[in-house]
Amino acid sequence: MKDIAVIGSGGFSKQVIEIIEQINVRKKEYNLIGIIDDNNDLIGSEVLGYEVIGDTNYLDKLSQERQVHGVIAIAKAKVRNAIAKKLEKVNWVNLIHPKAIVSNYVDMGVGNIICGGVVINPDLKLGNHCHINIGTTLGHDVTMYNYVTVMPGSRISGNVTLKDNTTVGTGSTIIQGLTIEEDVVLGAGSVTVRDNKPNKLYIGVPAKDIKTLEYK
């Protein structure tokens, strides 16, 4: 089995742990060695019975000594980006829940997490370290860049492009053929009917730009 670490001990890490466990029900593929978190106060605590064994510096050292696989269970795209760049020796894996429906015609990078109930149609192009959460549907010919986060129950139609660091809020809808620019947040329940500008928050039906987002 492959030794794997889950980076991040928040709520989403529980979903990721379960994905690993469900994968192992079908085939013993991963040995979950523990949870990684940069809050040192959490070291020694547990998430669903798995210990927080150290911070990213610890995992960086461990991955230089032996082969370690990993996924980043942290919602914030910029944080995932920084961690992925720091941990160059970690072997990033794609975790796909056995109850997700994923077309055979998908071009996928690394470090992606696809939760249960997700439906992915043909000719999806998926970058690196994207999160596709419970009950989301992705139409044909969707292109996702890197560090995209799609919250539960979203509906993304065919031929949509989502650029780096996009966050699609819970229950959002994006109609076909649109481009969602980088660093955009689409608010929960929004319906996007036109292309948008980068670094903006959009909310409502139809979704409207309400403010520029500042990233530090």
Side-chain angles (χ1 to χ4, degrees), residues 17-89:
I17 288 169
E18 186 178 43
I19 294 173
I20 293 169
E21 291 179 340
Q22 290 297 315
I23 291 171
N24 283 342
V25 168
R26 292 190 173 186
K27 180 184 177 182
K28 297 291 185 182
E29 189 168 350
Y30 295 109
N31 171 41
L32 180 49
I33 61 174
I35 313 300
I36 299 297
D37 199 294
D38 279 335
N39 182 350
N40 289 326
D41 291 338
L42 295 175
I43 295 174
S45 64
E46 292 186 348
V47 180
L48 300 183
Y50 297 92
E51 185 179 354
V52 179
I53 58 174
D55 59 13
T56 51
N57 290 326
Y58 170 80
L59 183 59
D60 185 39
K61 181 179 179 181
L62 187 64
S63 66
Q64 294 183 48
E65 295 171 350
R66 61 187 176 95
Q67 188 175 65
V68 179
H69 299 76
V71 287
I72 307 173
I74 296 172
K76 291 184 178 179
K78 298 289 189 180
V79 175
R80 295 207 298 275
N81 190 328
I83 291 172
K85 288 178 179 177
K86 176 179 180 179
L87 300 176
E88 295 179 346
K89 297 294 184 179

